[in-house]
Amino acid sequence: MREKKVTTEALRQMKVSGERIVALTAYDYFLGAALDAAGVDMLLVGDSVGTVVQGHDTTLSVTFDQIRYHAEMVSRSASRAFVVADMPFLSYQVSEEEALRNAGVLFKESHVEAVKIEGGREVANTVRRLVSAGIPVMGHLGLTPQSIHQFGSYKVRGADESESRRIREDARALQEAGAFGVVLEKIPAGLGKIITGELEIPTIGIGAGPDCDGQILVTHDMLGLFTRFRPRFVRRYAELEAEIRAAVARYVQDVRTAEFPGEQESY
């Protein structure tokens, strides 16, 4: 396990050496600290907070100030992991200047080490502008949740030849613009393998097959904390929602029957 602080250069070296990058989402100090201590390489303060924490159907309602709030807690929790914050919907699309200003606020106030932007060639100039100002940028291609209403469904992206070609071209455009890595979401495994082989920067897959340079999951999905729906690409490593429900039910019962507090919990 790496003990030194993970950096963009460390992530690049992991790709070169074939060491898989481990990434998960985090939204608060407690979760970030636990994931960091467990050896996760990258923590993403994702706009997935809108669905798994706030209870919305999509990520679109997440505001910049909300991301800034959650990112500050996660950044404080991570002594080793590399911390990336999502740029939420409309925080970077209006203009390159506004994108730079918002990303700069995340850097100065939330102390993240990179930002993530959805899109390909259409955001390449924005990526270039941020990178030139010293802000590392991670791309995000394939199923991009902020475009869900444009897509009309959560189906696999890049399954046909034309879209597959476009995603490959977008990945190269992001690399040329200076992105240090790219998330590939819900694309065929074969396409994930091709893009990973074509790029010099790391690819982080989520439903993009086993050949990406790393993998990321939404932590609430992976731990069974969020159970409203379960994407095919999620592997559950725990069922914490059920355990929490059972524990609280025991507490309710003990309070109702005056079993709690007992002598050992009293003064």
Side-chain angles (χ1 to χ4, degrees):
M1 182 188 299
R2 290 175 184 271
E3 297 301 329
K4 294 182 179 179
K5 180 69 176 176
V6 178
T7 64
T8 54
E9 175 60 20
L11 294 171
R12 189 187 72 80
Q13 288 296 334
M14 290 175 76
K15 177 184 177 78
V16 171
S17 67
E19 181 181 356
R20 295 301 174 91
I21 299 166
V22 181
L24 284 169
T25 61
Y27 316 107
D28 58 37
Y29 180 88
F30 166 78
L31 190 57
L35 302 180
D36 184 67
V40 173
D41 303 306
M42 182 188 299
L43 299 178
L44 171 65
V45 187
D47 57 10
S48 50
V49 68
T51 53
V52 300
V53 175
Q54 298 175 351
H56 295 295
D57 291 330
T58 72
T59 65
L60 295 174
S61 62
V62 176
T63 68
F64 177 77
D65 285 340
Q66 289 167 350
I67 287 290
R68 177 171 56 179
Y69 168 75
H70 288 281
E72 191 275 332
M73 289 186 283
V74 174
S75 293
R76 203 176 334 122
S77 76
S79 61
R80 177 188 161 277
F82 187 75
V83 181
V84 184
D86 264 339
M87 294 284 283
F89 183 61
L90 288 185
S91 68
Y92 60 93
Q93 293 97 333
V94 175
S95 69
E96 294 173 25
E97 289 73 21
E98 185 168 338
L100 178 58
R101 182 165 52 249
N102 287 333
V105 168
L106 287 175
F107 257 57
K108 292 178 66 176
E109 297 185 8
S110 296
H111 308 291
V112 300
E113 292 148 320
V115 297
K116 181 167 73 63
I117 291 178
E118 294 185 8
R121 284 162 289 182
E122 71 276 12
V123 299
N125 286 337
T126 298
V127 172
R128 191 172 288 108
R129 180 72 178 276
L130 298 188
V131 172
S132 68
I135 300 175
V137 179
M138 171 167 269
H140 186 152
L141 296 171
L143 178 65
T144 47
Q146 292 177 18
S147 301
I148 188 57
H149 292 312
Q150 181 181 0
F151 290 148
S153 75
Y154 285 96
K155 71 178 183 179
V156 172
R157 311 308 308 181
D160 63 76
E161 184 178 348
S162 63
E163 190 173 37
S164 172
R165 182 171 59 252
R166 180 179 61 76
I167 293 172
R168 290 171 64 186
E169 292 171 352
D170 283 341
R172 289 193 292 270
L174 290 172
Q175 177 173 269
E176 291 168 5
F180 73 88
V182 60
V183 170
L184 301 175
E185 181 168 358
K186 206 168 184 181
I187 63 173
L191 179 57
K193 182 177 182 178
I194 290 171
I195 294 173
T196 299
E198 290 177 339
L199 296 184
E200 296 178 2
I201 59 176
T203 60
I204 309 296
I206 177 167
D211 294 302
C212 295
D213 297 305
Q215 299 291 330
I216 186 168
L217 286 174
V218 173
T219 301
H220 286 57
D221 289 337
M222 185 269 286
L223 293 179
L225 283 166
F226 182 77
T227 59
R228 198 165 68 199
F229 59 85
R230 179 178 176 177
R232 175 179 172 178
F233 55 73
V234 170
R235 178 179 293 180
R236 288 263 176 84
Y237 286 82
E239 297 291 348
L240 296 189
E241 191 272 343
E243 292 188 32
I244 290 170
R245 218 172 343 108
V248 173
R250 292 197 301 273
Y251 171 70
V252 169
Q253 177 68 16
D254 287 351
V255 171
R256 300 244 192 261
T257 60
E259 291 292 321
F260 176 83
E263 182 177 349
Q264 63 183 359
E265 293 98 9
S266 301
Y267 296 93

